[in-house]
Amino acid sequence: MEPAILVITLVCGMLVNRIGLPPLIGYLAAGFALYLFGINEQSLPLLESLANLGVTLLLFVIGLKLDLKSLLKAEVWAGSSLHLMISMLLFVPLLKLLAFIGLDQLTDLDFNQLCLIGFALSFSSTIFAVKVLEDKGDMQTLYGRVSIGILIMQDIFAVAFLTISKGDFPSIWALGLVLLPLARPLLFRALDKVGHGELLVLFGLVMALVLGAWLFEIVGLKPDLGALIIGVLMAGHPKSSELAKSLFYFKELFLVAFFLTVGLNGLPSVDDMMLALILVALVPLKIALFIGLLTRFKLRSRTSLMASFNLGNYSEFGLIVAAVATQKGWLPEQWLIILAVALSFSFVLAAPLNMFVSQIYQRFQPKLKQLERFPLHPEDRPIQVGNPRFLVLGMGRIGCGAYDELRQQFNAEILGIEHKQELVDFHRQQGRNVVQGDALDTDFWEKLERAPSLEIVMLAMPNHAGNAFAVEQLKKLEYQGKICAIVQYAEDGDALKEAGVHTVFNLYEAAGTGFVDHVVSEMCEQTNSSLQNDKNEVKHAI
């Protein structure tokens, strides 16, 4: 039967993906379909083990990407905490009201059980939000960073619940885990030595499943918490991003098993489907609450709306919480199915909302503007550029070199734009005129003040999509000056020229030319030096 399981799962995932929804909805549907064929969790014990591995690796990868500084921002830690508390204060009475109306699934639940359901419904989907941000290229935008920060805080709340839900008191040896940060240099050194390829993947699995999950489990703590903490300890290493990418497909594949196990718990009844739809009707409350909170933290209404739509859904972590609650007997098993259906329906609602969020903002902009609080958030204020003659987008090595060359050759004002604040601070210390801004963020172009004397814009960003997006935005601003861009491939250069770029600079071709020039120069110097030595020897002999 195993081939049929793989085929059904693949077909369901592909069908759902074809209509623009996350494949995980298809995996849930595949679980329900397999249940129709008489397959359940008991008949596939390996599937539950793979599902647990998926959750563990998910938390380890979250830890690898965790920037603790980002969690210290008020709009992230306070926004997520307030949203969680207010959501539960809203959901519990609403669920109680539905129980009074006579919904059978709610009538026999006590207050604690309603709080558990409200807690599960308060989470937003990390998988959905990251997919939307990646598809739009908005991972580094302000609203994207705020969304990811809030999601990580929610994940931490979920891990805290999972740890508490274990119920057992940890061993006295658990106190020794406070010494783990002292092992960080050793972990960094091991990651330096492990290299790349399959060894890097194996290293990541050992860190997540052995040093993280297994070590925490033997001292009486939740394994998932161990995976998260080990990931956090390794987050500052230069190869942490590469390690996360190397584990990506393992994590995704094992999470498929988790969503299948949810569907294998049983089929939703008509009443369950109706209740799931009612729960989805509460999603706008989550969105409105996010908008209200984020604008109170002085983010622009547009930033708040886009982040709120990104977070306007139910979460796979809510399913994880519900799965633990049903295993412990704290919730009836049918609630895992109800929440799974509500999760799927919430994605169906969230997908078009995120697709048309810009049009929605334009439609309701006057009313949304009234929610803003001044002075605006420092990262969300209009970008004052002065009146430069040259603008360099992307202050990495190439952009920095271009900036210095322009400064040396022209006695004119130059402005650099860089999205990483640490690089902005570095360049300012070096005396360069650089401001923080992300050229891949539509907000950046909306906040950018006009510069009447601007003659040349140099696109020094490393990816073609970013440069193409910048050209499109410059056209919308009716910029009339010259545009220059770097490219890595000839076809990218052709595409940019068709889009209106006046000059392209192929990095690979230029690197080859520069390499030959350098070699020829070195050879000429060596030849000249050798000839001079020969002349000196002849003179000395004479």
Side-chain angles (χ1 to χ4, degrees):
M1 194 65 186
E2 288 79 3
I5 294 174
L6 292 174
V7 170
I8 291 173
T9 304
L10 175 63
V11 170
C12 289
M14 290 179 64
L15 289 174
V16 169
N17 194 48
R18 288 281 293 178
I19 60 176
L21 294 173
L24 66 87
I25 298 178
Y27 306 147
L28 289 169
F32 292 136
L34 292 170
Y35 185 83
L36 281 174
F37 289 105
I39 300 174
N40 54 39
E41 277 191 275
Q42 287 69 35
S43 60
L44 293 171
L46 177 62
L47 203 61
E48 184 176 357
S49 298
L50 294 176
N52 292 332
L53 286 177
V55 175
T56 301
L57 288 179
L58 172 64
L59 290 166
F60 178 66
V61 171
I62 287 173
L64 287 174
K65 297 179 179 180
L66 183 59
D67 179 8
L68 293 176
K69 292 181 181 178
S70 67
L71 302 185
L72 298 178
K73 296 180 178 179
E75 63 270 18
V76 173
W77 70 266
S80 57
S81 302
L82 288 171
H83 191 274
L84 173 66
M85 292 186 289
I86 298 174
S87 293
M88 292 184 65
L89 289 174
L90 289 173
F91 280 131
V92 172
L94 287 172
L95 292 171
K96 195 67 177 175
L97 178 62
L98 293 173
F100 281 129
I101 292 174
L103 290 178
D104 294 338
Q105 302 95 324
L106 290 163
T107 50
D108 295 330
L109 299 183
D110 59 29
F111 178 76
N112 291 333
Q113 290 174 312
L114 293 177
C115 287
L116 263 177
I117 296 171
F119 181 67
L121 293 174
S122 68
F123 294 102
S124 301
S125 173
T126 302
I127 294 175
F128 181 88
V130 169
K131 176 176 173 55
V132 169
L133 291 171
E134 287 180 341
D135 289 348
K136 289 184 174 182
D138 284 353
M139 285 293 291
Q140 294 301 323
T141 62
L142 178 59
Y143 92 87
R145 286 181 279 122
V146 170
S147 299
I148 295 299
I150 290 174
L151 288 166
I152 290 174
M153 285 298 301
Q154 291 182 347
D155 296 344
I156 292 173
F157 297 149
V159 172
F161 169 81
L162 295 176
T163 302
I164 296 170
S165 68
K166 190 173 173 61
D168 302 326
F169 285 102
S171 163
I172 188 66
W173 295 105
L175 295 174
L177 295 177
V178 300
L179 301 177
L180 272 177
L182 300 179
R184 196 182 192 199
L186 294 177
L187 297 178
F188 276 29
R189 187 174 300 176
L191 187 51
D192 285 331
K193 300 292 184 182
V194 78
H196 308 277
E198 70 277 4
L199 276 177
L200 183 63
V201 175
L202 186 58
F203 176 80
L205 292 175
V206 169
M207 291 297 101
L209 305 180
V210 180
L211 188 59
W214 178 78
L215 179 61
F216 273 61
E217 187 174 27
I218 63 173
V219 298
L221 292 174
K222 190 71 175 173
D224 302 330
L225 177 64
L228 177 68
I229 289 177
I230 296 300
V232 170
L233 288 178
M234 304 184 68
H237 193 279
K239 286 175 67 176
S240 61
S241 178
E242 182 184 355
L243 178 58
K245 290 178 181 178
S246 70
L247 294 173
F248 176 80
Y249 290 108
F250 282 92
K251 168 181 68 81
E252 295 293 293
L253 188 60
F254 293 151
L255 282 175
V256 171
F258 171 77
F259 293 115
L260 281 176
T261 57
V262 173
L264 291 174
N265 278 277
L267 291 173
S269 64
V270 174
D271 290 340
D272 291 340
M273 298 278 282
M274 293 302 297
L275 179 54
L277 286 172
I278 293 173
L279 294 178
V280 173
L282 301 179
V283 167
L285 285 177
K286 291 185 68 171
I287 295 174
L289 181 55
F290 270 124
I291 293 173
L293 287 172
L294 293 178
T295 51
R296 290 304 180 277
F297 287 108
K298 300 184 177 181
L299 292 172
R300 290 192 308 142
S301 56
R302 186 179 187 277
T303 303
S304 302
L305 182 73
M306 296 190 73
S308 300
F309 274 23
N310 195 236
L311 299 168
N313 46 65
Y314 294 129
S315 170
E316 62 279 354
F317 264 107
L319 285 184
I320 294 171
V321 168
V324 171
T326 54
Q327 288 172 3
K328 295 283 185 179
W330 298 340
L331 283 176
E333 289 188 0
Q334 70 180 129
W335 268 99
L336 181 59
I337 300 171
I338 294 170
L339 291 176
V341 177
L343 168 75
S344 303
F345 287 164
S346 74
F347 287 174
V348 175
L349 172 66
L353 285 179
N354 281 272
M355 189 179 302
F356 298 108
V357 61
S358 296
Q359 292 89 325
I360 294 172
Y361 175 73
Q362 294 298 330
R363 173 69 177 81
F364 297 100
Q365 183 176 7
K367 292 182 179 179
L368 290 169
K369 283 280 188 181
Q370 295 175 9
L371 300 174
E372 293 182 351
R373 295 294 183 269
F374 296 91
L376 288 171
H377 190 286
E379 293 185 55
D380 215 12
R381 296 172 185 169
I383 300 173
Q384 299 178 352
V385 300
N387 193 19
R389 183 180 171 188
F390 303 103
L391 181 65
V392 182
L393 294 174
M395 287 298 291
R397 293 181 181 178
I398 297 173
C400 180
Y403 184 103
D404 290 343
E405 189 67 22
L406 287 169
R407 183 167 58 178
Q408 182 177 344
Q409 294 191 24
F410 299 93
N411 184 22
E413 185 177 350
I414 310 165
L415 177 68
I417 304 290
E418 172 58 46
H419 75 276
K420 295 180 180 178
Q421 187 60 51
E422 58 270 24
L423 277 181
V424 173
D425 296 337
F426 169 77
H427 288 307
R428 286 177 177 173
Q429 291 173 2
Q430 301 297 315
R432 300 184 184 96
N433 180 26
V434 179
V435 299
Q436 196 274 336
D438 187 356
L440 292 175
D441 182 4
T442 51
D443 278 357
F444 163 78
W445 297 99
E446 289 194 4
K447 294 183 292 184
L448 193 66
E449 293 185 343
R450 304 298 179 262
S453 301
L454 186 61
E455 296 181 12
I456 296 179
V457 174
M458 304 189 73
L459 306 178
M461 292 177 288
N463 62 81
H464 171 69
N467 290 331
F469 180 80
V471 173
E472 180 183 348
Q473 299 304 312
L474 287 167
K475 280 185 175 181
K476 290 181 180 179
L477 294 176
E478 298 181 353
Y479 169 68
Q480 301 297 323
K482 301 289 185 180
I483 305 176
C484 309
I486 60 171
V487 297
Q488 298 184 34
Y489 307 104
E491 58 268 26
D492 292 344
D494 294 338
L496 287 178
K497 285 184 176 179
E498 289 179 6
V501 173
H502 300 84
T503 305
V504 295
F505 183 80
N506 191 308
L507 293 177
Y508 290 156
E509 291 179 0
T513 303
F515 181 44
V516 171
D517 290 343
H518 176 73
V519 170
V520 171
S521 176
E522 288 286 326
M523 292 176 64
C524 289
E525 288 181 5
Q526 292 175 5
T527 302
N528 292 335
S529 176
S530 176
L531 289 173
Q532 186 63 41
N533 289 335
D534 291 342
K535 290 179 181 179
N536 291 336
E537 289 178 5
V538 171
K539 289 181 179 179
H540 181 70
I542 295 173

